[in-house]
Amino acid sequence: MSNHVHVTKIAFVVGCFVCAGCTTKFNTATDAHNTGAFATAASNAESLAPTVNEGSKVIDLKVQYDRDELWVGLEKAKILADAGLNSKSVDVFEWVNARAQFLGDAESWYAKNPCDVSRWDVGQFSQDVGKSVMGADQTTYIVQPYELILVNAYASLNSLLCNEPGAVQFTRTMMKLQEYEKEDLRRAGYDDMDAPIAKMDSTLAPSLRGNSTDFSFGRIFSLGDFTGAKQRFKSAIDSARQVGAADPRIPFATVVQWAGFMSEGVIDEAAAAAKEVGASSGAKTLSEQMREMSKEGNKDFVLVLIDAGRGPIRTSFEVKFPIVIPNVGSAFFRAVYPDLKFRTGDRPNEIKVGGAGAMQSAFVLDSIDAIAARNFQRREAELWWTPTIRAVLRTVATIVAQATQKKEDGGARLLIALVGSAVAVAEQPDLRAWSTLPAEQYAAIVPRPANGVLKVELKSVSSSGSIDVPVEPGSSIVYVRALTPTIHYAKSAVIVKPK
């Protein structure tokens, strides 16, 4: 075979793998949202991923790649809400919820802990070097348990903000999901796990002919940024735990439940929700205030919910080094791993609400940073261990394939080496993340200001700002989305009519 033919085949193979690493382009919407241009973000989101409606019901979302539909749906629904398009946001959140349930019963996430390696079989990860290996970003996006709780929480909240029925319906769905999460925490836990290095090494030893030059999976996990990533996750989780804000049941959702029950006059269930806020977060005082409001039922109040800062996004890091099998050959091991980036710049961390000079601090309910980090830890086997095993097996297969061709065809050997490299490049980490979430969620409950104007004061380590929100007679809910103390959006709605 001529060198020209070899080059053509190589170009074709490399081109195929490069084309494989694609996800739906949605960054012009999320980038606009990140700057606080919420209206522009909503317009871009609709252009990039238009909804398909049947009457008033969303039945589909047009995306570039079907595997991204739920990820794009999460981003779009939150963008619409932050642009004040609450009714449209509810429709998209409802579609995401139904679609996620259709694609896979959420209960299955809680039935088996992804970190359980008792039935783990390395053989299932074997890959033929001659076959295409899809990157993690080529798989269908699966909505995580905490995300599904937030889907229903935001659907309920936005129903209240646009005075549409259905808030309690979403509330009951998220209560079921929270019960799953509570049981999962009791049974399986979310503590960090170490990779089973000895098991990995012993399984791969036969493939490495028993004497590969100082190779060990432990070496892989000592390189790259595994240690740094683990430390960042731990720091985010520990900081949240200190203030009772690391519970993946999402106490913010429970406060929304309380508001939904209060709007329907279901006082007993509202009192139960108020009690649960104290059990799942450090906001004990808020819990007591909510319970008092549940009992009295005759005072006009304002419930203030604040989404503060920008939630975590996905980044990646690379590990690359040679693997040598004596008397056989060598090749470079390469793998790229997902990581979380916590966006702390100018994040509001001191929030006060009230009116007429009577201000009180809002209570932190949960840290999305910490909850996302706990979820990442729980999925480490899927996100870090599996790509490592596949990359090692692929590298070994490349070495062996080259060795069998070394006497027959130098061009074929080169082709095998380049195909191995191309496949390694093709298997990319999954960088999709629900980036429009906040970093932290707060709440406060105060008497309705006599002048009908609620004041919200926001401070970060570098700036400060304030918002005046008109509230009508009766008891209201106020939602504030504050990317920074000066970039924000607010909306209010009456949930209990004046007595």
Side-chain angles (χ1 to χ4, degrees):
M1 185 180 291
S2 71
N3 288 336
H4 174 74
V5 174
H6 277 305
V7 170
T8 302
K9 288 178 67 177
I10 291 167
F12 173 75
V13 170
V14 172
C16 288
F17 287 128
V18 169
C19 289
C22 301
T23 54
T24 297
K25 303 302 181 186
F26 201 67
N27 59 295
T28 57
T30 53
D31 288 351
H33 181 276
N34 188 51
T35 66
F38 298 137
T40 299
S43 176
N44 291 346
E46 186 58 36
S47 175
L48 293 167
T51 53
V52 179
N53 292 73
E54 191 173 90
S56 60
K57 187 178 182 65
V58 174
I59 60 170
D60 199 9
L61 198 66
K62 290 185 177 180
V63 295
Q64 192 173 1
Y65 302 106
D66 288 345
R67 59 182 174 266
D68 299 325
E69 62 179 5
L70 292 179
W71 161 59
V72 172
L74 293 172
E75 296 278 44
K76 179 175 179 176
K78 191 69 179 76
I79 286 172
L80 292 173
D82 292 345
L85 303 172
N86 300 94
S87 183
K88 289 185 176 181
S89 174
V90 171
D91 293 341
V92 178
F93 273 129
E94 189 170 16
W95 175 83
V96 169
N97 183 63
R99 187 68 177 155
Q101 297 284 357
F102 173 77
L103 291 176
D105 189 346
E107 189 175 357
S108 66
W109 278 99
Y110 305 87
K112 180 181 178 183
N113 191 321
C115 281
D116 181 7
V117 298
S118 61
R119 290 173 290 180
W120 183 52
D121 177 12
V122 174
Q124 66 187 289
F125 303 116
S126 296
Q127 297 287 346
D128 220 353
V129 71
K131 295 181 180 178
S132 172
V133 179
M134 290 196 309
D137 60 348
Q138 302 303 292
T139 59
T140 298
Y141 186 90
I142 299 176
V143 178
Q144 295 300 303
Y146 78 93
E147 293 176 327
L148 202 53
I149 292 172
L150 282 167
V151 163
N152 285 277
Y154 283 129
S156 181
L157 171 61
N158 289 316
S159 295
L160 293 171
L161 289 171
C162 63
N163 293 305
E164 287 188 356
V168 171
Q169 167 197 336
F170 295 115
T171 285
R172 299 202 186 285
T173 299
M174 73 175 114
M175 288 174 68
K176 179 181 177 183
L177 294 166
Q178 287 172 318
E179 282 301 308
Y180 290 153
E181 192 71 274
K182 183 177 181 179
E183 173 61 19
D184 193 56
L185 284 170
R186 184 197 66 76
R187 178 179 51 80
Y190 271 61
D191 292 332
D192 191 15
M193 284 188 66
D194 291 326
I197 302 298
K199 186 173 183 180
M200 289 180 173
D201 283 347
S202 63
T203 302
L204 267 294
S207 299
L208 294 168
R209 308 297 171 92
N211 58 355
S212 173
T213 56
D214 71 356
F215 173 80
S216 168
F217 280 94
R219 180 186 179 189
I220 295 174
F221 292 120
S222 70
L223 301 174
D225 199 26
F226 290 107
T227 301
K230 281 177 170 284
Q231 185 55 49
R232 289 190 292 274
F233 299 163
K234 184 178 185 300
S235 179
I237 295 167
D238 288 348
S239 296
R241 277 178 170 156
Q242 289 175 8
V243 294
D247 197 309
R249 289 175 290 177
I250 317 289
F252 177 92
T254 310
V255 176
V256 175
Q257 290 173 24
W258 181 83
F261 289 135
M262 290 294 288
S263 72
E264 295 288 333
V266 190
I267 302 304
D268 289 345
E269 292 193 80
K275 183 179 179 180
E276 185 61 27
V277 169
S280 60
S281 76
K284 312 300 181 187
T285 301
L286 175 66
S287 173
E288 288 299 322
Q289 292 172 335
M290 292 165 64
R291 291 172 73 179
E292 286 301 312
M293 291 295 180
S294 303
K295 286 191 297 186
E296 295 176 13
N298 58 2
K299 289 184 178 179
D300 288 346
F301 62 82
V302 181
L303 173 65
V304 189
L305 295 167
I306 305 104
D307 274 348
R310 300 173 176 90
I313 57 175
R314 287 276 190 98
T315 58
S316 65
F317 60 89
E318 181 182 83
V319 173
K320 184 177 181 180
F321 66 91
I323 293 179
V324 179
I325 302 179
N327 303 317
V328 179
S330 65
F332 264 92
F333 165 91
R334 177 190 182 272
V336 187
Y337 299 91
D339 190 4
L340 289 179
K341 179 181 179 180
F342 303 113
R343 299 181 286 177
T344 59
D346 208 17
R347 177 187 298 177
N349 55 14
E350 184 180 337
I351 302 170
K352 294 184 177 181
V353 301
M359 305 291 288
Q360 74 171 52
S361 295
F363 301 93
V364 62
L365 292 169
D366 48 68
S367 163
I368 301 300
D369 280 356
I371 292 166
R374 294 185 76 176
N375 179 264
F376 196 106
Q377 284 182 341
R378 189 178 192 271
R379 301 171 62 201
E380 187 174 321
E382 167 197 349
L383 299 172
W384 283 355
W385 305 351
T386 297
T388 301
I389 295 164
R390 282 207 300 254
V392 170
L393 291 172
R394 184 170 56 238
T395 305
V396 170
T398 302
I399 295 170
V400 173
Q402 288 183 69
T404 61
Q405 292 289 335
K406 64 182 179 180
K407 293 182 179 180
E408 299 178 17
D409 189 342
R413 189 180 179 198
L414 174 62
L415 177 61
I416 290 169
L418 289 176
V419 167
S421 299
V423 174
V425 172
E427 185 161 354
Q428 296 297 324
D430 188 355
L431 300 184
R432 295 168 297 182
W434 191 357
S435 67
T436 47
L437 283 176
E440 296 173 325
Q441 297 180 300
Y442 293 76
I445 189 165
V446 297
R448 179 181 180 272
N451 66 351
V453 179
L454 177 84
K455 190 173 188 66
V456 182
E457 296 178 347
L458 304 156
K459 290 185 179 180
S460 71
V461 295
S462 57
S463 68
S464 62
S466 64
I467 314 169
D468 289 336
V469 187
V471 288
E472 298 179 15
S475 292
S476 298
I477 185 170
V478 169
Y479 171 71
V480 176
R481 180 67 176 104
L483 298 179
T484 72
T486 57
I487 301 175
H488 42 64
Y489 157 83
K491 186 168 183 175
S492 68
V494 174
I495 58 173
V496 181
K497 293 181 179 180
K499 302 297 181 182

